């Protein structure tokens, strides 16, 4: 892959990269479309990265269908699929990891210790292998997007990071490979995740509610008396340090993770809250 990238670059071609864990859906296809708009050659990686799964998580059950993925890539004009195996990515005595501090402390970082260390390590490795000019990630994994942008900035990685909007089903449910775990009834009811985010946005922008605790309490009510739904977190953070905030001002991310039956689903929205007026000093 490195040799291929080097020869493409020698021909003056730009490389757009979409890292995935496979089981592609319309969300991934929109990332591929974005990559096509930003580069001449599009590389998709398909690799279920064990380093980002905790010991009791769904690594072995994670949905896989390489034949279908290959077909979808072909239909969507992908030039190269990079499909490594565990022995190539983490050979015996593998020892090097990349860790972004602080931004990985809360939200999914709190529930899934080690998850982001696994993500930033593999993304770093994939960048070194694919040598892309730009790479496209989805806003659906909002904390991941912020963490990767921070890693690229801190480590001076010469890759332009593009964050593409979340693609949703008609009822608002964000597309995710993990939606496969839902029963048809749960899939219908899971529209409440997006409704919860919209309620938060409405309270902030239309009602002027700027206290995170009040907004989170209101949103939590939507999940009461729903036996299939368990809240992991509903949190509001700033997008710079990804720390929970109580008084909202500037760019914030309202994010949630909800267990729906067997599936743990995440979703988020970014909201621009008018900044506090700073009193003029005469
Ligand atoms: O978003 C994902 O699918 C994964 O976290 C990624 C970026 C492909 C790294 O394994």
């Amino acid at each position: 892959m490195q040799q291929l990238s080097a020869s493409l670059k020698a021909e003056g071609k730009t490389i757009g990269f979409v890292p995935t864990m496979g089981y592609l859906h319309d969300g991934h296809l929109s990332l591929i479309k974005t990559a096509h708009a930003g580069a001449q050659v599009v590389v998709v990686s398909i690799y279920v990265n064990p380093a980002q799964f905790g010991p009791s998580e769904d690594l072995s059950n994670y949905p896989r269908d390489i034949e279908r993925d290959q077909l979808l890539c072909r239909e969507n004009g992908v030039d190269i699929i990079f499909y490594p195996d565990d022995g190539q990515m983490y050979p015996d005595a593998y020892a090097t990891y990349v860790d972004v501090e602080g931004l990985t402390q809360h939200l999914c970082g709190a529930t899934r210790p080690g998850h982001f260390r696994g993500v930033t390590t593999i993304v770093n490795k994939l960048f070194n292998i694919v040598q892309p000019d730009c790479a496209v990630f989805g806003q659906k994994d909002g904390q991941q997007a912020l963490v990767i942008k921070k890693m690229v900035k801190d480590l001076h990685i010469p890759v332009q990071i593009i964050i593409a909007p979340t693609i949703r089903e008609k009822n608002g449910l964000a597309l995710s490979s993990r939606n496969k775990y839902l029963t048809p009834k749960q899939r219908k009811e899971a529209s409440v995740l997006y409704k919860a985010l919209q309620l938060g946005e409405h309270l902030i922008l239309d009602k002027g509610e700027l206290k995170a605790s009040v907004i989170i309490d209101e949103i939590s009510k939507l999940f009461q008396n729903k036996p299939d739904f368990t809240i992991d977190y509903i949190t509001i953070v700033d997008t710079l340090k990804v720390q929970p905030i109580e008084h909202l001002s500037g760019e914030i991310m309202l994010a949630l993770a909800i267990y729906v039956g067997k599936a743990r689903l995440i979703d988020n929205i970014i909201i621009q809250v008018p900044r506090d007026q700073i009193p003029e000093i005469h």
Side-chain angles (χ1 to χ4, degrees):
M1 184 69 237
Q2 271 174 335
Q3 279 171 7
L4 195 53
S5 289
S7 60
L8 286 165
K9 288 192 157 184
E11 288 171 30
K13 299 252 169 68
T14 52
I15 300 176
F17 179 40
V18 181
T20 81
M21 299 207 298
Y23 210 71
L24 305 180
H25 50 65
D26 283 351
H28 296 110
L29 301 185
S30 94
L31 305 184
I32 291 170
K33 208 167 162 194
T34 305
H36 274 301
Q40 290 157 316
V41 174
V42 172
V43 180
V44 168
S45 65
I46 297 178
Y47 179 58
V48 182
N49 170 35
Q52 69 188 75
F53 287 78
S56 58
E57 292 182 357
D58 57 347
L59 173 63
S60 55
N61 298 330
Y62 195 83
R64 291 165 170 89
D65 191 343
I66 186 64
E67 315 249 292
R68 187 173 158 274
D69 288 348
Q70 273 176 318
L71 203 68
L72 282 171
C73 283
R74 207 167 296 142
E75 282 171 7
N76 286 274
V78 171
D79 299 283
I80 299 161
I81 300 175
F82 179 59
Y83 179 51
D85 63 30
D86 290 344
Q88 289 166 317
M89 296 313 271
Y90 299 105
D92 280 351
Y94 184 85
T96 306
Y97 292 87
V98 177
D99 210 350
V100 175
E101 295 179 353
L103 285 77
T104 55
Q105 210 182 339
H106 298 283
L107 308 174
C108 291
T111 318
R112 307 184 65 190
H115 167 69
F116 286 112
R117 180 180 186 255
V119 170
T120 42
T121 299
I122 197 70
V123 169
N124 222 293
K125 285 163 68 71
L126 291 168
F127 282 178
N128 285 329
I129 295 165
V130 176
Q131 305 270 325
D133 296 280
C134 65
V136 191
F137 296 84
Q139 178 58 39
K140 211 266 300 176
D141 298 308
Q143 187 176 16
Q144 170 173 284
L146 295 169
V147 167
I148 287 169
K149 281 204 273 187
K150 180 71 172 149
M151 171 184 80
V152 163
K153 183 164 187 267
D154 284 356
L155 297 182
H156 313 278
I157 299 175
V159 177
Q160 184 202 354
I161 302 299
I162 302 170
I163 307 302
T166 304
I167 304 296
R168 302 180 179 282
E169 289 188 4
K170 273 209 190 79
N171 71 1
L173 175 65
L175 297 196
S176 162
S177 306
R178 289 190 168 98
N179 292 353
K180 182 186 158 56
Y181 300 141
L182 303 174
T183 65
K185 181 169 167 270
Q186 287 168 341
R187 205 176 180 115
K188 219 163 130 200
E189 288 179 355
S191 63
V192 68
L193 271 73
Y194 188 50
K195 292 205 179 89
L197 297 176
Q198 286 177 309
L199 172 62
E201 187 172 49
H202 168 68
L203 291 173
I204 297 164
L205 295 182
D206 302 332
K207 299 281 176 192
E209 180 56 68
L210 296 179
K211 278 206 206 81
S213 50
V214 173
I215 296 158
I216 292 165
D217 278 355
E218 282 303 311
I219 293 177
S220 302
K221 288 181 192 158
L222 296 184
F223 297 96
Q224 276 168 8
N225 306 318
K226 285 197 164 51
D228 272 0
F229 290 69
T230 309
I231 297 172
D232 176 359
Y233 65 74
I234 301 173
T235 309
I236 302 179
V237 294
D238 69 282
T239 55
L240 207 62
K241 297 190 172 162
V242 195
Q243 298 296 309
I245 42 174
E246 172 59 8
H247 180 73
L248 309 188
S249 173
E251 188 176 80
I252 57 121
M253 181 168 77
L254 166 58
L256 44 77
I258 310 286
Y259 290 97
V260 186
K262 276 195 298 179
R264 179 177 174 282
L265 304 184
I266 57 171
D267 203 350
N268 71 84
I269 45 171
I270 304 274
I271 303 170
Q272 308 293 338
V273 182
R275 289 211 179 267
D276 288 338
Q277 296 292 321
I278 301 167
E280 275 180 46
I281 301 167
H282 296 284

